[in-house]
Amino acid sequence: MPAAVMRRAVRETVSGLPREFWWLWTSTLVNRLGAFVATFMALYLTLDRGYSASYAGLVASLHGLGGVISSLVAGVMTDRFGRRPTLLLAQVSTAASVALLGFMHDPVAIAGVAFLVGMASNASRPAVQAMMADIVRPEDRVRAFSLNYWAINLGFAVSSMGAGFIAEFSYLAGFLIEAGMTLACALVVFAKLPESKPVPAAKEAEAAVGLGTVLRDGRFMSVVGLSFLVALVFQQGSVGLPIAMGGAGFTPADYGTAMAVNGFMIVALQIPVGRFIEHRDPKWLLVISSLLAGYGFGLTAFAGSVGVFTLTVCVWTLAEIVNAPTQTGLVVRLSPVHGRGRYQGMYTLSWALASLVAPVMSGVVIDRFGAAWLWGLCAVVGTAAGLGYGLLMRRLPAEESVRGAGSVPDSAREPEPVRTPVRESAPGSAREPAQGAGAGAGAAAAGGVTPA
């Protein structure tokens, strides 16, 4: 590709986004660059501390359980107290609990602090997603989500490589470095990010959005259910695939080689693919990505070499690249402006639950029926999710092209008059669609598949 074309593509990708988005993006990147503990926790407990694999699995489950609980709690806090206070509290608590975990020796204490780490680290996600929804215009959503997801995976790729070197020197250093970098994220938020929570009009304040509102929103809860199915499939890359490859006689290095393609493809393709899908029909993007995910893992049943395993990783990684920003955009599109925190918390919950269910599901299926049945089940689940998205989105309204209420202006946040849009939604839904234009409603962060 000529240099001039490359420069133009980069300029078009990064232009037009508010500076608050870039500070939030920077915070995400720094956070993922320091994400060492999740990478070497199992090795730390089994090799350095001498605990059993079963105990390491218990600690991982408690860490995940903490994330499940905090998803809803943090969503409520994000709407009630604001995005910025929730994000600061989550980041400071994460830094403190991660540092404390490095000094724990008693097995009960380690398990308890790991639970706290899971709660604190996951609590930032609804706040990040809601804040990004407040400050990015609707027409820039997919592009912003792609950039944020790219930062998550770039940071994770670098931290994964660095974790090995740090672990050889000192596991404690890894805990302290992650704590320090998380505090750096909190400093960025404190110094550069103003509160973005929309100020509701009196009528909107009376019609407050509670968790019951979210649960009664049938269309949105259907999206959460479909998100859970897709997340179950994607989780098999880290839980089912290594077990299946090990059982087939492949080494950890073989698994690492195949999975390295996942990170490389996301870093290399997320931005150009994001530009390609930016204005495509989300219905077909979600249907196709769900099918690609299901059948990408389904093809693993026929893999007999590292090369074929790598090929299957390429298929479902492409699905991941398309699905993550598109699905996050759909979540924001169906969320009321003044209930974004609770809605994002419920969406985050679907991924947290999948991270708990997927290891149990893969283990039981492989032990009782064999790995081929697991990959066949992935194909079935992916097909079900694709059909579900196709049915759910038949009457999805056109996305609003105007900027919604309560956003952060691109310039230095001057006071704005109160605006009345409440929801970018479908006609005939439980709440009336927004009327009139405002300044900046938009995007949510990816949770990443990993949701970060």
Side-chain angles (χ1 to χ4, degrees), residues 36 40 159 161-175 177:
F36 301 117
F40 61 62
S159 68
M161 291 186 292
F165 294 103
I166 293 172
E168 289 187 5
F169 169 72
S170 168
Y171 283 102
L172 178 59
F175 286 99
I177 290 173

Side-chain angles (χ1 to χ4, degrees), residues 4 77 80 86 91 164 172 187 288 295 297 378 392 421:
M77 291 176 61
R80 182 168 297 176
T86 303
Q91 290 176 335
L172 178 59
L187 291 175
I288 293 171
Y295 287 98
F297 278 100
C378 286
L392 179 68

